[in-house]
Amino acid sequence: MEVKVDFDRCEANGVCVGIAPDNFDIDDDENLIVTQPVGDDPETLALMKEAVAQCPRAALTLEP
């Protein structure tokens, strides 16, 4: 699974960073960065699903 970011929608408000700080970051230009892939870890997958669900702009999607 992979997280995709729709940069036209993303406001880089950091909700996803708060949920999964090992997987998301915001750079100095206030752009969201996916720092680590989802991988096969069930705990990481759960955090990524939560980050996608909580994104206030629906800018994140989780794709196979």
Side-chain angles (χ1 to χ4, degrees), residues 11-48:
E11 294 177 336
N13 57 36
V15 171
C16 55
V17 177
I19 294 169
D22 291 336
N23 300 91
F24 296 100
D25 199 6
I26 297 175
D27 68 13
D28 293 337
D29 295 323
E30 296 188 11
N31 296 308
L32 180 66
I33 301 168
V34 180
T35 58
Q36 291 186 23
V38 175
D40 296 330
D41 176 43
E43 185 177 323
T44 301
L45 179 59
L47 287 173
M48 296 298 255

